[in-house]
Amino acid sequence: MTAMELARFTVDPEDVDAMLDARPAMLRALRDRFEGFEALHLVRLDERTWLDVVRWASRAQADEAAAVIFELPECRAAFAYIKEVVAMEHGEILFAGDHRVS
């Protein structure tokens, strides 16, 4: 079943441009390394707070990626701007668009 990863974190305002500049390389690395990676959305909640919304083909693939994500230099570079991880959650997508997901 498709899984969603929600990571809420803070970034100092003076680091935002550098963090955003590091995202394309991180996205390429995720696509290249993880078969179950489907999508990445970065949401700005306020001046300091951000939310990564990552869709994975399955929860198992999300967990597998979490175990090795810091081995990828591109991900470490993007994560270097994170001041604090506020929350990290995973869930299964049960309804999307206009239909149930099975």
Side-chain angles (χ1 to χ4, degrees), residues 70-87:
F70 287 97
E71 294 176 11
L72 301 175
E74 300 89 348
C75 292
R76 279 196 316 271
F79 297 157
Y81 300 102
I82 295 174
K83 185 168 181 88
E84 176 188 9
V85 174
V86 177

Side-chain angles (χ1 to χ4, degrees), residues 30-78:
L30 290 170
R31 285 181 178 149
D32 291 346
R33 172 63 173 81
F34 301 111
E35 182 178 320
F37 172 78
E38 294 184 353
L40 170 65
H41 301 279
L42 177 64
V43 180
R44 184 180 206 153
L45 300 174
D46 62 38
E47 184 177 293
R48 295 181 174 276
T49 311
W50 298 78
L51 181 67
D52 262 336
V53 180
V54 188
R55 193 174 68 235
W56 296 93
S58 71
R59 174 64 189 264
Q61 289 171 313
D63 291 342
E64 178 183 310
V68 298
I69 195 93
F70 287 97
E71 294 176 11
L72 301 175
E74 300 89 348
C75 292
R76 279 196 316 271

